[in-house]
């Protein structure tokens, strides 16, 4: 009996200390972010400082801000589980695609020209760029409306990604978790603006790099390490063939390609991603940031999808059918030690809050500077715009949090489906107009408007199909609208063809001042040279 009481005391003491460690980590995590927000309050004293950090953000902060905005709890919990289950170890290709197509190429192709032209046009947001570049207030307002409408469900999905892990670590009610994260994000974004989010993104990025490596090593060690885990995966049968989940391209190579394209090429047209190039300091910073951002994506994105590829060792098809793909990664992590669970929690919090702060700042700034300012009859001062900006940061967070809670509590399928089309609608509408706007003088307003309409209509049709309100027939349409991944990729690729074709047919709608706009890329350089004596001079 005495031994029982000794064991019981040790049991209580152990769990109290583990809970204390978890709470201490969370308190430190929250305190650092609030402190950073307060520290950079002075930098955000005007709209330019609040939205772009004065266009003087260095390569490390910008690269980490880009990466942490890219990868969130949606990827770590949702996509890694779903595509790891579908493709096995081949899902690692998605992470590598994110690194090279979604990080390296945008930095190399879009980074420099975006930074130069947006400063030349004095545009602070992507909708503002469309308005200035194509000399159209209507395009600016339309782009602002599309951004705000489709970023809200994407933001709400971040809150959903945390629910299972919080329950696993703390047994905390989902609603409490959502409200707490919303309040914390609101505090440091409202107070500190872009610089506060950039510095916090850097801190969160370091946590993500260390955390994902530790989690992969811990999870694989459960089955005897990497080689033993791979051997066990090769024994799992699939409808296609034995060993499909360890094959080079997995059981569905074409579907894998579609996922790679949507999650990688899509970043080229997302306002919260491209906006990072607006704020970077100079051309040298872009070169350094390209390397840092690519490395970050290889480790984080590659690591997440690589980890998810082993999901079938920890879940059965019956469990996934009952609990959904979002349960795959939490099931893999549930057997880890309490300290590692705390590390995972901080990792996912970092991934979610960094993306959340970027989405909030992007949406509120475009609503204030592009939509409201455009419909006002008289211009407002910088101070008034800054006040409205901060108000809409709070409004946007509240709306997103309410949607997340309603969706989780009532299982409203419409909201869940809308989240799926957000990425495709934004990239399908903006990718081609933005890319051609930087590189091709002949891009017309009519072509941009066509791309906006095509991207939004495609994804609204996809939403109707996914909800069962609309049926499509035929091999081609059936493939295009199979799910939001296929329709999103089709929308992006089609817009790259639509914009130049329509532009050539609507030359009259080209902006008049395009030569002046592109003059920012042409610089005159004076070089001093010494005279060289020739035979004639001698």
């Amino acid at each position: 009996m005495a031994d029982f009481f000794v064991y019981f005391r040790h049991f209580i003491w152990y769990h109290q200390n583990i809970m204390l460690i978890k709470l201490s980590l969370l308190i430190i995590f929250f305190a650092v972010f609030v402190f950073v927000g307060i520290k950079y309050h002075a930098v955000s004293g005007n709209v330019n400082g609040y939205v772009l950090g004065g266009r003087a953000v260095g390569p490390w902060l910008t690269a980490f801000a880009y990466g942490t905005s890219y990868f969130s709890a949606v990827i770590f919990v949702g996509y890694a589980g779903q595509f790891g289950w579908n493709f096995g170890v081949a899902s690692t290709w998605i992470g590598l695609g994110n690194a090279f197509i979604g990080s390296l190429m945008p930095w190399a192709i879009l980074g420099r020209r975006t930074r130069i032209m947006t400063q030349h046009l004095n545009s602070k947001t992507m909708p503002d760029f469309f308005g200035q570049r194509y000399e159209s207030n209507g395009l600016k307002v339309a782009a602002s409306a599309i951004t705000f409408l489709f970023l809200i469900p994407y933001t709400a999905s971040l809150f959903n990604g945390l629910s299972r892990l919080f329950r696993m670590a703390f047994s905390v009610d989902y609603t409490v978790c959502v409200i707490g994260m919303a309040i914390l994000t609101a505090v440091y974004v409202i107070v500190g603006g872009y610089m506060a989010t950039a510095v916090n993104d850097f801190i969160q990025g370091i946590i993500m790099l260390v955390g994902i490596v530790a989690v992969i090593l811990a999870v694989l060690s459960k089955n005897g390490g990497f080689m033993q885990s791979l051997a066990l995966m090769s024994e799992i049968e699939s409808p296609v063939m034995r060993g499909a989940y360890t094959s080079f391209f997995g059981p569905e190579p074409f579907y894998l390609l579609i996922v790679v394209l949507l999650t990688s090429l899509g970043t080229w047209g997302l306002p919260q991603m491209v906006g990072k190039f607006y704020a970077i300091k100079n051309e040298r910073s872009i070169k350094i940031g390209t390397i840092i951002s690519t490395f970050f994506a290889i480790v984080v994105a590659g690591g997440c999808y690589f980890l998810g590829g082993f999901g079938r060792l920890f879940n059965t098809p019956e469990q996934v059918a009952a609990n959904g793909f979002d349960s795959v990664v939490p099931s893999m992590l549930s057997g880890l030690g309490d300290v590692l669970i705390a590390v995972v929690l901080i990792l996912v919090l970092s991934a979610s809050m960094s993306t959340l702060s970027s989405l909030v700042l992007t949406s509120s700034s475009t609503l204030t500077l592009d939509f409201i300012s455009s419909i006002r009859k008289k211009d407002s001062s910088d101070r008034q715009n800054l006040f409205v900006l901060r108000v809409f940061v709070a409004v946007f967070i509240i709306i997103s949090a309410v949607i997340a809670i309603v969706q989780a509590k009532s299982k409203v399928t419409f909201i869940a489906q809308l989240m799926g089309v957000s990425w495709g609608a934004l990239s399908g509408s903006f990718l081609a107009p933005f890319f051609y706007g930087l590189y091709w003088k002949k891009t017309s307003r009519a072509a941009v408007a066509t791309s906006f309409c095509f991207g939004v209509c495609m994804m609204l049709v996809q939403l109707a199909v996914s909800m069962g309100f609309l049926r499509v027939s035929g091999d081609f349409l059936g493939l295009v609208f199979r799910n939001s991944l296929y329709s999103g990729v089709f929308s992006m690729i089609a817009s790259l063809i639509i914009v130049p074709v329509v532009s050539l047919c609507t030359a009259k709608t080209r902006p008049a001042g395009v030569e002046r706009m592109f003059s920012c890329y042409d610089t005159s350089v004076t070089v001093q040279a010494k005279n060289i004596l020739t035979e004639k001079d001698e």
Side-chain angles (χ1 to χ4, degrees), residues 132-309:
Q132 299 281 352
R133 168 64 179 83
Y134 299 107
E135 297 178 348
S136 171
N137 193 57
L139 289 178
K140 176 180 176 180
V141 173
S144 177
I146 294 170
T147 301
F148 186 76
L149 176 63
F150 287 101
L151 278 186
I152 285 181
Y154 184 30
T155 307
S157 68
L158 298 178
F159 289 114
N160 283 326
L162 283 167
S163 60
R164 293 179 184 272
L165 289 173
F166 255 93
R167 288 183 189 135
M168 181 178 68
F170 290 101
S171 299
V172 177
D173 183 73
Y174 173 59
T175 303
V176 175
C177 165
V178 169
I179 293 173
M181 194 170 78
I183 292 173
L184 177 63
T185 306
V187 168
Y188 80 77
V189 175
I190 290 172
V191 173
Y194 184 85
M195 277 304 299
T197 62
V199 173
N200 280 332
D201 286 348
F202 179 77
I203 298 169
Q204 291 159 347
I206 297 295
I207 294 171
M208 291 167 68
L209 285 172
V210 175
I212 194 65
V213 173
V215 169
I216 290 172
L217 294 175
V219 169
L220 292 183
S221 67
K222 290 184 180 181
N223 291 294
F226 170 65
M227 294 307 297
Q228 183 61 30
S229 298
L230 205 61
L232 293 173
M233 284 290 295
S234 67
E235 297 174 2
I236 300 174
E237 295 187 8
S238 78
V240 180
M241 63 179 181
R242 187 180 180 87
Y245 298 111
T246 55
S247 63
F248 199 66
F249 291 121
E252 298 181 87
F254 183 70
Y255 187 25
L256 176 62
L257 175 63
I258 293 295
V259 177
V260 170
L261 288 176
L262 181 74
T263 59
S264 303
L265 190 61
T267 61
W268 295 45
L270 293 179
Q272 73 274 17
M273 304 299 298
V274 176
K276 301 297 184 291
F277 300 137
Y278 288 42
I280 199 165
K281 192 173 184 178
N282 51 38
E283 192 167 340
R284 180 176 177 274
S285 296
I286 292 173
K287 294 177 181 178
I288 298 172
T290 302
I291 299 170
I292 300 169
S293 181
T294 305
F295 171 77
F296 182 88
I298 290 172
V299 176
V300 174
C304 283
Y305 286 109
F306 174 76
L307 176 67

Side-chain angles (χ1 to χ4, degrees), residues 3 11 26 57 63 85 96 106 156 190 219-220 250 264 266 315 334 380 397 435 443 473 529:
D3 291 340
F11 178 83
L26 277 182
V57 185
W85 181 267
L96 295 178
I190 290 172
V219 169
L220 292 183
S264 303
N315 297 266
S334 60
S380 54
I397 290 176
F435 173 75
T443 312
S473 58

Side-chain angles (χ1 to χ4, degrees), residues 50 57 83 94 134 184 209 320 356 417 420 448 484:
Y50 188 82
V57 185
F83 299 128
I94 305 172
Y134 299 107
L184 177 63
L209 285 172
V320 174
L356 178 61
Q417 295 294 343
V448 176
S484 59

